[in-house]
Amino acid sequence: MGYMLYSISVLFLIFATALYLSRNRWTHLVPLPDYVYNRLPSSFSNDIEEGFTSSDFDLNTNVAAGDSRRGLDQRGKREVQKIMKSRKVGFDEARSIYMRQSFANNDIGPDGRPRDPKFVSFS
């Protein structure tokens, strides 16, 4: 039993060393995320500098009011930025596309009402 554990350990060590030494040949094949680390918490002023503001979605009022919150959601900003780059649209249109996708993923119609057949609304 000990001999088998020793053999597996040595083979693993040899395999890991071979992968490490040949990493330049195979690392480009491994899909990596767009970010490697999480940035420090941002603020609304950083979001304005990154272009996440418009006349319809004005963050300048938050900065002028001295809003102490951390800024916009990091995951949402990444998704909106991907949409802006891939579809070549502005911030407002990318934000609209992101919200429609989010609604569709959560089974909410484009009008904002749930698509659940059991949903009952009294208006």
Side-chain angles (χ1 to χ4, degrees):
M1 181 70 176
Y3 177 72
M4 190 163 187
L5 181 62
Y6 176 76
S7 299
I8 291 173
S9 300
V10 169
L11 285 175
F12 176 76
L13 187 62
I14 291 171
F15 183 70
T17 303
L19 282 176
Y20 179 75
L21 294 175
S22 66
R23 68 185 180 272
N24 291 333
R25 293 179 181 242
W26 58 266
T27 52
H28 68 280
L29 300 172
V30 177
L32 294 174
D34 294 341
Y35 59 94
V36 177
Y37 62 92
N38 289 332
R39 299 173 99 184
L40 294 173
S42 65
S43 65
F44 287 115
S45 359
N46 292 347
D47 295 337
I48 292 171
E49 290 174 9
E50 292 174 2
F52 293 110
T53 188
S54 67
S55 58
D56 294 327
F57 191 78
D58 190 20
L59 293 178
N60 292 317
T61 54
N62 294 46
V63 173
D67 197 339
S68 62
R69 292 181 291 172
R70 292 180 14 191
L72 300 175
D73 175 41
Q74 294 294 328
R75 186 179 58 84
K77 284 195 305 188
R78 264 195 315 272
E79 291 297 322
V80 168
Q81 198 165 33
K82 282 182 187 176
I83 293 170
M84 288 170 67
K85 287 181 181 178
S86 66
R87 299 189 184 186
K88 296 184 179 26
V89 295
F91 174 67
D92 285 330
E93 182 66 25
R95 192 169 54 92
S96 174
I97 292 169
Y98 173 72
M99 286 308 299
R100 279 186 255 138
Q101 288 175 351
S102 177
F103 281 175
N105 291 342
N106 293 312
D107 208 21
I108 299 173
D111 58 352
R113 285 187 273 169
R115 293 186 196 162
D116 186 6
K118 298 177 188 174
F119 176 70
V120 176
S121 174
F122 301 103
S123 45

